[in-house]
Structures are given as C-alpha cells and as structure tokens.
C-alpha cells in the first residue's frame, strides 16, 4: 500500500499537501498524526512542525472491485468480479448466472454502470486517467461478433440494392466496430450521422 | 433500491454524510427522492444530466427484478 509521511506547519497543511502528492480523495486515505505542531516560545525558537503519515486505503483496482461487488449484492445478484490492469486500462469482468439485467437492452445498463465506474474512479484519483472497461459474461465480445456479422450483411444489402443502409443508433465503441469491419470492403463506404446518443452508421454503396 | 441509489450517490459526492434518500411508495410505482449537499448537485447530475441518467438506468434494472416502476428524483 502506498504510504507517505509529510511534515508541515500544521496537521491540516500536511494533510492537504499529502493528499495532493498522492492524488487521491480525502476519504480514501488513512491519516496518522505522528506529531502535532507546537508554536514554541516567542514563535521563533523551537518551533516544532506537524508530521502525518498518509496511507491510501483503496487503490483503483481494489476500489473498482469493491464497488461492483457491492452493486451486485444490493441488486441481489450472485457473481464474481475480476479486475485486471493493462496498458492504463482497468478491465472489470463480472461472471455469474442470470446477469442479464446488468446488461440491459443492447447493453444499456452495462454502459451506464461502466460510465459510473469511470466517473467514480476519476473522482477518487485526481491525476490518473485510467479508463474502465466493464464486461458481463463476455457480452462485449459476443456483441462485437454479432455487429461484425451485421456489418457484413448490411454491406451486401447496400451493394445489392445500390442504396444507402442506415443502421440503428449505436454507442461510439459500437460504431467503431462497424467502421472497422467494413474498412477494407471495396463495395461500400461508411460514415456516421446524427447527434449522440442517436448517432448511427450509414453504409453507402460505392459507384464503381 | 433505496440502498442502491444511496450507495452510488455516496461514491460520487464530496460529502457522503449529507446524502439522503427517501422512499415514497405509490400504488404501482416508487419514487426515490435523492438529496445531496448543494455543492454536490453538479456531481450527481453531470454534464447534460449524464450521471443522473446513468443512475436511473442502473436503478431501473434493479426495479425490473423487483417488478416495480421506480423514479429517481433529485431534490434541491
């Protein structure tokens, strides 16, 4: 666990300084006052500074795991939470049975929960921009496959009918999957139109 | 459901001790009144209400499980 000791004119000042150095929120540190400040006589001689030790209670991965476990419990669901850190990303995966309600219609609930995890982490750790990717029962992997399938089907429809095909509204990550899937398709081009959260991908047949 | 709103709200704000959720039960629906410190209002609503919307989405998922209609109201 990360821990630092800070010396300053007062306990409060040492606390502020330490929190700034650690880059964490106040309620996520354990504070031990090692020595109080004393003004000393005539304020000049023998002025003793305050010294505190600050220890981070929960690092990002731990905080994320305990947040999700608590959510599961409050929703009356049984599942396991696994958090991995890689390349500045935090991957949180939830495994269990009957977790469909955590995913919601087209991943609505999953995306809302992922967003909340991101906000909570960025508020608890000021200087870290670690993004959270949340998945439940490999939903995102399965969704990616079905989106790639959809892209291929709709591209051939666009080519066959020689008309634009407009897909349903999707999140930025989902649109990206469609664009990437058709990047090397010589028959069609893709672009997005509309405003979030109703932005959608359009597949345009190329006039060869 | 009350506990879920309370738990998420406390994780988001600067003054968790001032988070208060009251449950107003109707015949078929439930209203959860969420109150936070004035300084924390923005933290619970978010830009264009994005955080409030995410809280409602998660709470609605829990409500579906309990077969209820739930509304989360943020009260100033």
């Amino acid at each position: 666990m990360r821990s630092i000791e800070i010396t300053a004119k007062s306990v409060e000042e040492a606390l502020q300084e330490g929190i700034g150095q650690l880059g964490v929120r106040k309620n996520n540190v354990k504070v031990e006052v090692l020595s109080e400040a004393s003004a000393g006589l005539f304020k000049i001689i023998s002025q003793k500074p305050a010294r505190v030790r600050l220890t981070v209670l929960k690092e990002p991965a731990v905080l994320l795991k305990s947040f999700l476990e608590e959510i599961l419990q409050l929703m009356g669901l049984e599942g396991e939470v696994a958090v991995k850190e890689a390349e500045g990303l935090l991957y949180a995966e939830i495994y269990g049975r009957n977790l469909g309600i955590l995913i919601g219609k087209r991943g609505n609930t999953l995306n809302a929960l992922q967003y909340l995890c991101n906000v909570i982490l960025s508020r608890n750790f000021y200087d870290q921009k670690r993004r959270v990717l949340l998945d439940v029962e490999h939903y995102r992997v399965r969704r990616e496959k079905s989106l790639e399938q959809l892209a291929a089907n709709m591209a051939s429809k666009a080519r066959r009918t020689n008309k634009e095909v407009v897909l349903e509204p999707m999140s930025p990550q989902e649109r990206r999957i469609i664009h990437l899937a058709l990047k090397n398709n010589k028959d069609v081009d893709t672009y997005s139109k509309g405003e979030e959260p109703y932005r959608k991908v359009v597949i345009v047949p190329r006039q060869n | 459901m009350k506990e879920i709103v309370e738990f998420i709200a406390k994780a988001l704000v600067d003054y968790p001790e001032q988070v208060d959720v009251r449950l107003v039960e109707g015949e078929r629906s439930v209203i959860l009144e969420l109150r936070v410190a004035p300084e924390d209002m923005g933290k619970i609503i978010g830009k264009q209400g994005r955080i409030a919307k995410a809280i409602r989405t998660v709470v609605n998922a829990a409500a579906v499980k309990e077969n209820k209609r739930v509304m989360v109201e943020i009260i100033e």
Side-chain angles (χ1 to χ4, degrees):
Chain A
M1 255 188 277
R2 278 190 299 156
S3 182
I4 52 167
E5 286 182 21
I6 301 282
T7 308
K9 274 186 219 143
S10 68
V11 169
E12 184 54 32
E13 230 172 84
L15 190 60
Q16 291 304 328
E17 167 74 21
I19 284 168
Q21 279 190 25
L22 288 168
V24 298
R25 202 187 228 182
K26 200 172 169 182
N27 55 20
N28 193 19
V29 288
K30 188 177 90 177
V31 183
E32 292 162 275
V33 179
L34 303 176
S35 63
E36 300 265 0
S38 63
L41 232 50
F42 308 116
K43 286 192 176 172
I44 311 156
I45 28 169
S46 74
Q47 199 179 44
K48 216 175 115 230
R51 190 161 177 80
V52 298
R53 181 189 296 138
L54 301 179
T55 311
V56 179
L57 292 173
K58 286 177 181 170
E59 292 291 1
V62 179
L63 187 89
L64 183 61
K65 189 171 191 289
S66 64
F67 175 77
L68 289 169
E69 280 170 348
E70 182 84 26
I71 289 282
L72 281 179
Q73 204 221 321
L74 289 171
M75 286 178 103
L77 299 170
E78 276 179 44
E80 286 283 315
V81 182
V83 179
K84 280 184 292 184
E85 280 185 87
E87 293 155 25
L89 285 172
L90 281 170
Y91 294 92
E93 299 219 25
I94 307 176
Y95 303 99
R97 279 190 190 169
N98 303 323
L99 297 179
I101 66 157
L102 270 189
I103 298 169
K105 197 181 167 196
R106 290 197 198 101
N108 254 344
T109 311
L110 181 62
N111 289 336
L113 203 53
Q114 175 176 288
Y115 177 65
L116 290 175
C117 288
N118 274 300
V119 174
I120 288 165
L121 273 200
S122 68
R123 282 188 190 161
N124 274 283
F125 302 92
Y126 302 124
D127 49 0
Q128 296 171 36
K129 278 274 159 259
R130 247 182 279 196
R131 234 159 49 87
V132 177
L133 284 179
L134 179 63
D135 203 356
V136 171
E137 282 290 306
H138 303 294
Y139 168 78
R140 293 205 193 277
V141 181
R142 285 186 277 132
R143 176 80 174 148
E144 186 171 341
K145 288 213 177 96
S146 66
L147 282 174
E148 282 166 357
Q149 190 60 53
L150 177 82
N153 291 345
M154 292 300 118
S156 57
K157 185 183 169 191
R159 192 181 58 120
R160 205 172 56 239
T161 60
N162 202 25
K163 277 183 186 151
E164 285 188 4
V165 176
V166 184
L167 303 183
E168 63 188 38
M170 287 173 195
S171 70
Q173 296 102 301
E174 293 182 334
R175 293 198 308 272
R176 190 170 169 268
I177 292 167
I178 304 275
H179 290 306
L180 282 178
L182 298 177
K183 206 177 77 174
N184 296 322
N185 189 315
K186 292 183 186 72
D187 301 323
V188 294
D189 289 311
T190 60
Y191 69 95
S192 297
K193 71 169 183 187
E195 292 297 314
E196 298 284 5
Y198 302 107
R199 216 166 147 72
K200 39 197 156 187
V201 176
V202 183
I203 304 175
V204 193
R206 271 191 209 168
Q207 308 301 331
N208 295 325
Chain B
M1 271 168 302
K2 179 175 176 281
E3 289 77 17
I4 295 176
V5 176
E6 206 168 292
F7 175 66
I8 296 175
K10 283 185 175 171
L12 287 165
V13 300
D14 282 340
Y15 303 97
E17 65 284 354
Q18 289 190 53
V19 170
D20 178 48
V21 183
R22 274 174 223 172
L23 190 139
V24 184
E25 200 135 7
E27 268 190 30
R28 289 223 182 93
S29 61
V30 170
I31 300 171
L32 293 167
E33 296 182 343
L34 169 62
R35 287 179 179 79
V36 298
E39 301 92 316
D40 280 331
M41 281 305 274
K43 295 218 144 98
I44 211 85
I45 294 170
K47 276 182 204 137
Q48 291 164 350
R50 210 173 152 197
I51 295 174
K53 189 169 173 253
I55 297 174
R56 290 188 175 112
T57 304
V58 173
V59 173
N60 274 326
V64 167
K65 200 166 174 271
E66 292 183 25
N67 241 326
K68 274 184 184 158
R69 270 177 59 100
V70 178
M71 278 171 276
V72 179
E73 285 180 6
I74 297 165
I75 298 186
E76 273 189 85

